[in-house]
Amino acid sequence: MARSPRITAALLAALPALPAVAAAPLLAACGGGNGDAPSIPLADERGGGARIADLVGEASWLDPTDDDSARCDLPPDRRAYVTGAALVAIDRFDETGEGARGNHYVQDSADEPAPYSGMTVFQPAFSPPDLRLVPGDVVDLLGVLTEFPGPSAGGFGYCRTLPEIGGTMSFRFEDRPARPIHVAVEDLKSYTSARPYIGMLVRVEGVQIAGAPESSGGRYTASINVGAGVPAGDVPRISNELYDLEAEGPPLTDRPSFQAVTGVLTYFYGFKIAPRCPADFEALGAPPRDDDDDACAL
């Protein structure tokens, strides 16, 4: 979901020069101008920068009594240099027709994804400027980490925030598509239990649509059945943020159930699973799917 940029050019200009470690893959690829690249491997092919899980954690500033987020003690914006993050998805679908696209979603590269490893990259710049990335690429990020509290017209409430980075992405190397992390439906019932998976590729088993889909202003969503006792604003939903779900399906009317649904877990006034293509929905009785088999990458 696109919003007005908050990371100013002046702020980015004030950032320190890209750490020398970031240049290592480029130097290796050029081979010093003397033919083939040297065969000596890098000490850490994913770079010496931070991992996302080093930067994001529990939201200690939450306040269940501050429903309009008037007294939040939010952490300040800070400079961040992340290396070796796997690109999970790129938002190329403008569901509203008003430029609601451009965000990139990344997570720490790992055979077994861990909580707090995902990040929304808000409308990034690229180095070089003509760089074109695809899911599965491993990238570095240099920019500013923000715990975004919501639009100025109205915050998310209870001091809830969306962790995101605004800055520049550069290519490190090609890799396989990211593996999803398995998340229980029950973990999506509250902000506290779902926050560890924001920005990550999640696989949720036993998903049942709770009611008729809603379509407004191009946004197409359907509630997930998580049982009783959950405030309406906290009920997680399936959303069309990454592809034309309403036109391409599968149909979400008549409260269908799915063996599993895979997608990026996003947050904006509530949690949403954003599938990347129709193949992210697994029908009841379908053969078990290996996490390394990314149907949307075919």
Side-chain angles (χ1 to χ4, degrees):
M1 179 177 297
R3 300 179 295 281
S4 299
R6 295 177 301 286
I7 305 302
T8 65
L11 181 57
L12 288 178
L15 291 174
L18 193 67
V21 66
L26 298 179
L27 293 175
C30 293
N34 296 317
D36 294 338
S39 59
I40 300 175
L42 297 174
D44 184 350
E45 65 177 1
R46 301 189 185 279
R51 302 296 180 254
I52 295 170
D54 297 333
L55 304 175
V56 180
E58 295 182 7
S60 60
W61 52 88
L62 293 177
D63 186 348
T65 67
D66 191 359
D67 59 349
D68 57 359
S69 296
R71 304 177 301 276
C72 302
D73 185 19
L74 301 181
D77 295 354
R78 51 186 169 141
R79 290 174 289 189
Y81 176 53
V82 174
T83 61
L87 183 59
V88 171
I90 303 172
D91 183 2
R92 294 192 173 100
F93 177 58
D94 182 9
E95 67 270 25
T96 66
E98 299 176 350
R101 61 185 174 193
N103 287 349
H104 288 51
Y105 299 93
V106 298
Q107 67 185 46
D108 290 333
S109 302
D111 290 335
E112 295 297 333
Y116 295 111
S117 293
M119 179 66 68
T120 301
V121 187
F122 177 71
Q123 295 184 338
F126 301 96
S127 179
D130 61 350
L131 177 65
R132 296 295 179 266
L133 299 169
V134 297
D137 287 342
V138 174
V139 300
D140 297 343
L141 306 167
L142 178 66
V144 175
L145 173 63
T146 299
E147 288 287 350
F148 178 56
S152 57
F156 294 143
Y158 307 108
C159 300
R160 297 174 180 179
T161 56
L162 166 65
E164 61 181 19
I165 286 180
T168 301
M169 300 180 72
S170 57
F171 174 80
R172 181 166 284 270
F173 59 85
E174 294 180 3
D175 201 5
R176 58 167 173 76
R179 294 170 60 96
I181 187 169
H182 290 231
V183 176
V185 171
E186 290 74 17
D187 289 335
L188 303 180
K189 288 184 176 183
S190 72
Y191 179 88
T192 301
S193 59
R195 175 179 164 88
Y197 312 109
I198 293 178
M200 297 189 70
L201 187 66
V202 300
R203 184 177 188 271
V204 183
E205 297 183 351
V207 173
Q208 180 185 29
I209 302 303
E214 298 178 5
S215 183
S216 176
R219 305 189 192 283
Y220 181 76
T221 62
S223 298
I224 298 173
N225 185 358
V226 291
V230 179
D234 287 342
V235 174
R237 307 172 75 85
I238 302 290
S239 78
N240 68 335
E241 295 172 62
L242 300 180
Y243 84 97
D244 193 348
L245 172 59
E246 185 173 14
E248 299 180 32
L252 299 184
T253 55
D254 300 325
R255 301 186 180 188
S257 295
F258 299 95
Q259 181 165 285
V261 176
T262 298
V264 177
L265 187 67
T266 66
Y267 181 78
F268 201 79
Y269 296 106
F271 284 98
K272 301 177 183 69
I273 300 174
R276 302 159 298 164
C277 73
D280 269 339
F281 291 87
E282 299 175 48
L284 293 176
R289 184 179 295 178
D290 191 301
D291 286 340
D292 286 325
D293 295 335
D294 188 343
C296 287
L298 299 179

